[in-house]
Amino acid sequence: LAALEKSELPDVIQPATGVTYAAKLDKSEAALDWRQSAAQLDRSVRAFNPFPGATAQLDGQTIKVWAAEPVAASGEIGRILAVGSDGIVVACGEGALRLTELQKAGGKRLPAADFLRGFPLEPGQHFAVAAD
């Protein structure tokens, strides 16, 4: 750390071998696949925030998920297990994910409690699960 503060570190040219191109993210990549584990989906939500925003389909509508957290629960993949002011719990391939900040098409990003006031959900509803 002292060498870094004094700018005494030597310049090192990076090798050209092993260089790869990272393509621009496509919105289709941001679709949540409920068959994945809650931990993986949590990472996806964070990775796609702010662009393009993780998305999920519910009753034919696209919902963006801006914040979520894994929780200990299980059930049929894509099924809403619980709905409350602290979030919407959705069953995943492993565990469950609590959605805490959401946005419907044309709307604002909202905490789950506010989102539910304008878009009421109930346990038992299903998010669309991608086909193999």
Side-chain angles (χ1 to χ4, degrees), residues 32-130:
L32 296 176
D33 182 353
W34 299 107
R35 297 172 298 174
Q36 294 181 333
S37 71
Q40 178 61 42
L41 290 172
D42 173 51
R43 289 191 290 271
S44 293
V45 168
R46 287 183 283 125
F48 292 118
N49 186 352
F51 180 82
T55 60
Q57 296 290 318
L58 181 69
D59 297 333
Q61 293 194 39
T62 300
I63 296 175
K64 283 196 177 185
V65 179
W66 294 106
E69 60 189 10
V71 295
S74 63
E76 184 182 345
I77 295 171
R79 179 182 292 267
I80 296 175
L81 303 175
V83 176
S85 60
D86 61 340
I88 301 154
V89 179
V90 182
C92 304
E94 182 180 317
L97 193 66
R98 177 181 290 126
L99 314 179
T100 58
E101 187 178 9
L102 305 101
Q103 177 182 6
K104 60 183 178 178
K108 296 181 188 177
R109 287 172 69 155
L110 298 170
D114 294 338
F115 179 85
L116 290 167
R117 284 188 194 93
F119 195 87
L121 300 174
E122 295 182 13
Q125 286 182 271
H126 271 90
F127 278 93
V129 178

